[in-house]
Amino acid sequence: MSSAASEPATDDVLGLLATMHLIREFEEAAGAALHAGQVRGSVHQYTGQEAVATGVCCHLGPGDYVSSHHRGHGHAIAKGVSPARMMRELFGRQGGTSGGKGGSMHIADFSLGMLGANGVVPDGVTIAVGAAQALKMQDKPGIVVAFFGDGAMNRGPLFEAFNWAKLFRLPVLFVCEDNGWSVTLRTRTVTGGPPAVERVAAFGIPVSRVDGNHVVAVRRVAQDLVAAVRSGAGPQFLHATTDRWHGHLAHDCQRYRDPQDIERVRQDDCIASAERWLAQRGVDAGRLAAVREQARRTIAGAVDEAAAAPWPDPASAYTDVQDIGSAAWR
């Protein structure tokens, strides 16, 4: 597969930087709100992995779909979901993406093709394959991107999804965000047999690799893969190596992790990498700072708005509840 992507324009990369800043600010604010008792449940921060969602989703349009996992805030923002509505959802307030009833791990916006995050590993992938099957059966032109982590590579439903997608030549791009961790364990210590990419290749699905901490590289590789899926080439697989800055969830202080490893991954910051790329092409520090400040103001406003928003009507607890098939159990 040859890359049709030449070096991107600086304005395009400034747009990618803005999205990454928005994700970073959202995640840090969400973690702070959790520790302050403003958010209940759990928050799994995407901090450090922003380049993957940003570099992939920049090639998607309104007719394309994304499925996510428990660390899904970044995918939603990159697909265009309102950070203000997402923050309301985390705070459990009216106007949230799921009416304030879903919380961090169930952010979805079907109007924008965001099929939802998912707390069950790797059920977002099986949902994505189902959506891709629907697109094919309805002869619609969109594609589906399924984001998942390397921990999912040891789950059986994932292999069923690979097999089904390949068998029916479905329009789906599998994106494995490999941060090396499965909750509190190094993934390599709980994995038998060959690593992730060799397992996927066994299904006959083409595999591409990229340094997921460099958004320009992700953008370039994803451009080719998205084009291939759109052309009818069938499923593609992107293995993006990246780093998780925080623990499995915001309450996890990572006592199991070498502090030097945490410091190392912070030195390979995807945002700093994008800023260096832009600075080398003449973008001045003031313009870079303005992009960061705009994201900070946007997320600060989202937090204030969420904190002030009303709670849902208790009666709404009885709406949006699935009752299809319930008669069979009575």
Side-chain angles (χ1 to χ4, degrees):
M1 184 182 301
S2 63
S3 174
S6 56
E7 183 169 274
T10 55
D11 282 350
D12 290 341
V13 179
L14 277 167
L16 301 177
L17 179 66
T19 300
M20 289 195 293
H21 272 309
L22 209 54
I23 297 170
R24 176 74 55 90
E25 293 291 334
F26 185 95
E27 294 296 50
E28 296 306 300
L34 182 78
H35 289 299
Q38 294 173 296
V39 172
R40 299 176 185 178
S42 60
V43 168
H44 301 74
Q45 293 159 291
Y46 194 65
T47 310
Q49 302 185 197
E50 296 90 343
V52 183
T54 302
V56 171
C57 290
C58 70
H59 300 297
L60 304 182
D64 299 320
Y65 295 87
V66 164
S67 75
S68 181
H69 49 85
H70 52 276
R71 207 177 304 284
H73 303 158
H75 309 131
I77 291 174
K79 189 62 174 72
V81 179
S82 161
R85 293 190 63 216
M86 290 172 58
M87 196 63 78
R88 282 192 181 214
E89 187 60 37
L90 265 62
F91 276 64
R93 305 303 176 94
Q94 285 185 24
T97 50
S98 299
K101 297 187 287 184
S104 170
M105 288 194 288
H106 299 96
I107 289 178
D109 189 336
F110 295 164
S111 70
L112 296 169
M114 180 58 194
L115 297 175
N118 197 306
V120 181
V121 181
D123 278 2
V125 181
T126 57
I127 290 170
V129 168
Q133 182 81 70
L135 285 174
K136 185 161 187 173
M137 292 175 70
Q138 296 172 52
D139 198 25
K140 291 184 175 179
I143 71 166
V144 186
V145 175
F147 290 100
F148 54 97
D150 45 313
M153 290 300 298
N154 286 328
R155 291 277 290 136
L158 191 73
F159 299 119
E160 293 181 40
F162 289 159
N163 184 67
W164 190 277
K166 178 62 179 178
L167 181 64
F168 292 97
R169 204 177 175 88
L170 298 182
V172 58
L173 172 60
F174 298 110
V175 180
C176 177
E177 299 176 291
D178 189 346
N179 61 30
W181 288 97
S182 298
V183 190
T184 60
L185 297 171
R186 281 293 191 187
T187 304
R188 64 174 179 270
T189 67
V190 292
T191 301
V197 293
E198 294 180 38
R199 293 182 175 189
V200 179
F203 288 93
I205 297 174
V207 174
S208 298
R209 308 174 195 235
V210 71
D211 181 344
N213 289 343
H214 295 273
V215 71
V216 174
V218 176
R219 175 188 180 277
R220 181 180 63 250
V221 175
Q223 182 175 2
D224 285 340
L225 296 177
V226 168
V229 175
R230 288 197 197 285
S231 73
Q236 308 288 315
F237 184 95
L238 177 60
H239 182 247
T241 50
T242 185
D243 293 307
R244 191 185 83 188
W245 284 26
H246 295 299
H248 175 62
L249 41 76
H251 284 309
D252 175 5
C253 55
Q254 305 192 89
R255 295 190 191 283
Y256 49 84
R257 193 170 180 184
D258 185 343
Q260 291 185 343
D261 179 56
I262 300 174
E263 179 58 28
R264 178 194 63 76
V265 301
R266 288 174 180 257
Q267 293 300 316
D268 193 19
D269 180 7
C270 59
I271 289 181
S273 171
E275 289 180 337
R276 282 195 300 272
W277 189 96
L278 287 160
Q280 289 166 0
R281 286 154 183 81
V283 178
D284 63 56
R287 198 172 178 191
L288 297 176
V291 173
R292 181 188 298 266
E293 178 59 19
Q294 179 59 51
R296 189 197 66 76
R297 286 200 301 267
T298 298
I299 298 304
V303 170
D304 291 343
E305 181 182 315
W311 294 99
D313 183 339
S316 69
Y318 298 100
T319 61
D320 306 318
V321 177
Q322 178 178 342
D323 61 359
I324 298 173
S326 60
W329 303 103
R330 293 172 182 165

